[in-house]
Amino acid sequence: MSKLFFRYGAMNSGKSTALLQVAHNYEERGQSVVVVKPALDTKGHNKIVSRLGVSRSADILLASGEDLRHKVDELRGRRSSSESALACVLIDEAQFLEPEQVDAALEIAVFDNLPVVAFGIRTDFRRRAFPGSLRLLEVAHALEEMKTICRCGAKAIFNARLGDGGMAHEGHQIMIDAPGVTYEALCAHCYLKFEQRH
Ligand SMILES: [Zn+2]
């Protein structure tokens, strides 16, 4: 039996970079990986983009309602004769998975004996869990926090949404590439102070 891992962190904690590094490590050993990205994440379209400038295409762009286990199985079938053995499933922006897709990821690990490593953000700009992250926190075998630093030097754990000169308190949970909207990873102290001021 393999395991489902959830590596979570605030924005800009290097999750995509870490994913690309894991993929590289497997491939260097002559093994292949499947890279999955929820179709919801429009940033870079089907590309996994690291802020360090490295990128690669996702093997599976997973749309809403699609069965992740079935998709991985299909790909495994297509690759079986031609390529090196499939060793791992890597999921970028895993906060955007649907809970059922997280359950499918657990089945891939448990029944298909393929380790699954999901990288994602734990909470949204109002400090509420994304549905995919919540399910991952519930069912993953292993949780690993990826650290990044707040402007004050402490560990950042929250993601503030900035726009119109202040901090957003309302709005859709998902807002990617909207004009004038940016995010900043903050520690709890800076987040709460910032919230009081705006
Ligand atoms: Zn801080």
Side-chain angles (χ1 to χ4, degrees), residues 60-155:
I60 296 173
L61 261 187
L62 193 67
S64 169
E66 281 188 323
D67 181 341
L68 176 61
R69 192 176 174 204
H70 178 68
K71 289 286 225 182
V72 169
D73 212 42
E74 249 179 14
L75 195 79
R76 202 180 202 178
R78 279 207 302 277
R79 280 189 185 176
S80 59
S81 54
S82 57
E83 290 181 57
S84 47
L86 181 57
C88 186
V89 177
L90 302 170
I91 307 174
D92 194 34
E93 305 287 0
Q95 70 274 9
F96 297 143
L97 292 174
E98 291 163 349
E100 297 75 17
Q101 293 171 333
V102 174
D103 289 344
L106 181 65
E107 287 181 11
I108 291 169
V110 172
F111 293 142
D112 304 334
N113 200 28
L114 268 179
V116 180
V117 190
F119 296 81
I121 295 167
R122 184 164 57 160
T123 55
D124 67 12
F125 70 104
R126 293 183 302 180
R127 295 173 287 141
R128 307 266 162 76
F130 286 95
S133 307
L134 184 58
R135 193 69 186 139
L136 280 159
L137 291 166
E138 288 169 337
V139 304
H141 292 93
L143 304 173
E144 185 186 324
E145 186 176 26
M146 302 191 58
K147 298 187 174 64
T148 192
I149 300 297
C150 176
R151 52 168 87 165
C152 74
K155 184 177 81 178

Side-chain angles (χ1 to χ4, degrees), residues 166-186:
M167 185 167 168
H169 300 283
E170 303 282 321
H172 292 291
Q173 184 174 48
I174 301 166
M175 200 179 269
I176 307 163
D177 293 339
V181 172
T182 58
Y183 293 88
E184 183 176 351
L186 295 173

